[in-house]
Amino acid sequence: MAKKQALTSQPTCPCESGAAYSACCGRFIADFEGTPAPDAEHLMRSRYSAFVLEERAYLLATWHPSTRPSQLDFEPQCRWLGLQVKAFEPVDGSHAEVEFVARYKLQGRAVRLHERSRFVQEQGRWFYLDGDQF
């Protein structure tokens, strides 16, 4: 399936921060090399936006190599509905956890993904490690 269109008609970011996409997650997704997410919460939000926009390269680049899948496919009928960050906890200087609820519709059925994700920082860059679903 082709990647979804950039957010030219939608002024606010899919992560529901209330900020414009270009000033929020768009800056991390558009410039992975030069503009890394400053913390695990920003990375998690940008990864949610990347799922909405089907930005496969960004998702794989921000997934830690020890847990990264060899490929990433998108559900063709998936429609993302929203994100709620419930908690952000720095564990130490290079580890953090983010609890969130992401809502989407798949084939007309509402789905609620509630996860506590673990992140690690290496060489100044945050990566998604894994998570536990509730």
Side-chain angles (χ1 to χ4, degrees):
M1 180 175 171
K3 187 167 52 171
K4 292 186 180 178
Q5 292 290 320
L7 290 178
T8 54
S9 63
Q10 185 177 357
T12 59
C13 193
C15 82
E16 297 192 359
S17 66
Y21 174 72
S22 60
C24 193
C25 297
R27 61 193 164 136
F28 307 127
I29 294 169
D31 186 18
F32 171 75
E33 291 298 324
T35 310
D39 58 38
E41 181 181 356
H42 281 87
L43 179 63
M44 191 282 309
R45 287 180 174 279
S46 67
R47 286 177 53 81
Y48 172 84
S49 293
F51 271 105
V52 171
L53 299 170
E54 298 183 356
E55 292 283 354
R56 181 179 287 108
Y58 181 79
L59 289 164
L60 291 172
T62 57
W63 212 311
H64 194 269
S66 68
T67 57
R68 180 187 306 139
S70 58
Q71 68 179 36
L72 180 62
D73 297 317
F74 298 102
E75 292 286 343
Q77 302 300 318
C78 183
R79 187 168 60 96
W80 293 93
L81 303 173
L83 174 69
Q84 177 190 16
V85 175
K86 298 180 82 56
F88 166 52
E89 286 183 42
V91 175
D92 60 32
S94 61
H95 295 84
E97 295 183 352
V98 179
E99 181 180 350
F100 68 92
V101 175
R103 296 175 300 104
Y104 61 96
K105 263 193 172 174
L106 185 59
Q107 298 174 346
R109 195 178 115 235
V111 180
R112 186 176 179 264
L113 171 64
H114 186 179
E115 181 174 302
R116 185 161 193 87
S117 298
R118 285 178 285 280
F119 296 85
V120 63
Q121 186 182 43
E122 293 180 352
Q123 298 176 334
R125 202 173 278 285
W126 285 96
F127 295 92
Y128 169 76
L129 210 64
D130 60 16
D132 297 317
Q133 293 184 15
F134 298 91

